[in-house]
Amino acid sequence: MAILWALMAALLLSFVLLPVLRRRRGMIERVHPSHPDAADPADYGFVREEDLDVRMPGPDQDLLDVLDVVQRTQDHRAAAQLLAGTEIDGEVRWQRVQAFAGAAALELKERPGGIHETPGGQWLRVWRAEQPKDAGGAAVHAEFLVQQAWRTSTPGTDDFRIIMEEARDACGQAALLSPGDPVPYVIELSVARGLNYTQAEFEKLWLKILDRAPAHMGAHLAALHYWCEKWHGSRELAHSFAEAAAARAPRGSLLAALPLFAVFEHLPEVNLVASFYQSEVVTKAVHGALHAVHAARQDDPMLAHVRHLLVFFLVRSERWSEAMDELIRVDGHVGALPWTLSADPAAEFALYRALAVAGYEANGGSPATLRG
């Protein structure tokens, strides 16, 4: 990242946008704006890098308000109330469970506790102790354990296995408390990946989700990881899973964008072919995702996830105008793929945003033409 930002600094100072090389997942090439000093994201009303919200992919003011209350007061009751009023089979509940679990995990990382200090995330422990029958608290606890396993230990080690087995038990408890809720089973998809479920075991788990929420985008994204080459499947199995989901997607469903996520999961570590991002397989997946976002409800909670990944592919494909169209709709929040794979999601997003602006202006674009 230090090398990357040094290149960007030299670029801006010298008024020449040089090719920006990436060591991970390929490279960006042939960006030639005529006046890079004029390519300023601030001209488009974009949020400053330091103000980008890394907690979630898009806005959820109710969640933000409750998170503020919970973390400020260390009282879980507002979180319990919010989840109790959130539809059980929708995407929003899954995102809110992830957010609460992530907040507790981050608090624990920042304040691990000691002889004279209470560990962070204590509100989640109190929530489970005081409301053991609360389905929302049980789901958040299960997701918290999953996140802790991936954050603090290495797959294959005893520590990882112990935490994941505890998470599996927590998923079972959460499922019993809310029989029609797909979220406990969605959480278990990550457990399945970590504990090396056989394909038969995984399919059995997957059927439980399909029975409850067959078009759940978050569940499909979690399942896709299992079928990827780097875990328990292959490139062919992952693409087959994604294409099948897209083919049976109901009208207006974002599942039509799933093949783009499959392409992303199998990008080469270093791609030296300049035309790769204009290749047929990438172009087809991008077009499917663009069609999905245009057909989807504009309040679909998973829409931001797809738009963020589209920004990544559209910038690398040098489709500057389309990249800008997506950026103006997601700017401000960066808690989504691909940015969350970086140690500094805000910086990663800001880099792609700057490249999109530079490429857009090099081809005659301006704030006035974008808004028009």
Side-chain angles (χ1 to χ4, degrees):
M1 185 61 72
I3 294 173
L4 192 60
W5 285 112
L7 285 171
M8 287 296 293
L11 170 160
L12 294 174
L13 289 173
S14 64
F15 305 109
V16 177
L17 188 59
L18 301 174
V20 180
L21 303 182
R22 301 292 286 143
R23 292 185 177 183
R24 175 172 50 79
R25 294 186 180 275
M27 64 172 68
I28 301 171
E29 301 182 291
R30 301 193 316 278
V31 182
H32 304 296
S34 56
H35 296 289
D37 56 313
D40 186 354
D43 292 342
Y44 295 83
F46 289 141
V47 175
R48 294 182 302 177
E49 179 183 328
E50 58 268 29
D51 295 327
L52 291 168
D53 192 327
V54 302
R55 294 171 295 180
M56 58 191 70
D60 183 343
Q61 194 58 50
D62 289 340
L63 174 59
L64 288 176
D65 292 342
V66 169
L67 273 173
D68 178 66
V69 169
V70 170
Q71 295 186 304
R72 178 164 40 83
T73 65
Q74 291 295 295
D75 189 331
H76 67 275
R77 287 176 293 181
Q81 184 177 9
L82 181 65
L83 285 182
T86 304
E87 185 180 11
I88 64 169
D89 60 350
E91 307 279 359
V92 173
R93 182 178 178 83
W94 167 229
Q95 293 192 22
R96 288 175 173 176
V97 166
Q98 286 183 299
F100 286 129
L106 183 59
E107 284 185 32
L108 182 59
K109 179 182 178 181
E110 294 175 344
R111 301 194 309 276
I115 298 176
H116 303 295
E117 182 184 31
T118 301
Q122 185 67 20
W123 53 269
L124 178 54
R125 299 180 186 84
V126 174
W127 188 357
R128 293 297 296 130
E130 292 186 354
Q131 295 180 265
K133 301 295 185 182
D134 182 74
V140 172
H141 179 238
E143 173 65 15
F144 168 81
L145 291 171
V146 167
Q147 292 192 25
Q148 281 296 97
W150 292 110
R151 289 170 187 258
T152 65
S153 53
T154 303
T157 63
D158 287 342
D159 286 346
F160 182 85
R161 178 182 55 79
I162 289 169
I163 300 174
M164 276 298 189
E165 288 180 348
E166 185 179 355
R168 180 171 57 189
D169 292 341
C171 289
Q173 294 169 15
L176 288 174
L177 291 171
S178 185
D181 189 350
V183 169
Y185 300 105
V186 177
I187 298 170
E188 193 180 347
L189 292 173
S190 187
V191 176
R193 180 160 51 97
L195 291 183
N196 304 322
Y197 280 26
T198 65
Q199 291 188 4
E201 291 171 328
F202 187 87
E203 290 282 10
K204 184 178 180 180
L205 171 62
W206 183 239
L207 287 175
K208 294 178 181 179
I209 295 172
L210 293 183
D211 285 343
R212 291 161 175 81
H216 198 289
M217 181 69 171
H220 281 78
L221 290 175
L224 180 63
H225 288 304
Y226 177 90
W227 293 114
C228 285
E229 188 173 62
K230 61 187 174 184
W231 288 106
H232 307 296
S234 65
R235 181 187 302 266
E236 292 72 25
L237 284 172
H239 282 277
S240 176
F241 173 79
E243 294 288 352
R248 67 170 181 269
R251 182 177 178 81
S253 169
L254 287 168
L255 287 177
L258 201 62
L260 187 63
F261 288 85
V263 170
F264 178 77
E265 290 297 333
H266 293 90
L267 288 178
E269 287 299 312
V270 176
N271 172 44
L272 301 178
V273 180
S275 61
F276 175 78
Y277 290 96
Q278 291 89 29
S279 66
E280 182 179 355
V281 63
V282 173
T283 299
K284 180 181 176 183
V286 167
H287 285 171
L290 286 170
H291 175 76
V293 299
H294 293 150
R297 299 189 337 267
Q298 293 309 295
D299 63 346
D300 190 312
M302 294 301 292
L303 191 56
H305 286 273
V306 181
R307 291 193 186 280
H308 278 290
L309 196 62
L310 273 169
V311 169
F312 172 87
F313 277 100
L314 291 170
V315 168
R316 286 176 175 260
S317 301
E318 302 178 11
R319 296 166 65 167
W320 312 116
S321 180
E322 291 167 294
M324 293 295 288
D325 286 342
E326 300 305 324
L327 277 167
I328 61 175
R329 289 168 171 81
V330 298
D331 188 69
H333 299 84
V334 296
L337 286 174
W339 327 121
T340 50
L341 295 179
S342 169
D344 190 343
E348 190 83 349
F349 175 82
L351 169 63
Y352 276 76
R353 187 176 63 183
L355 290 170
V357 170
Y360 181 65
E361 294 192 352
N363 287 275
S366 70
T369 59
L370 183 63
R371 293 175 185 138

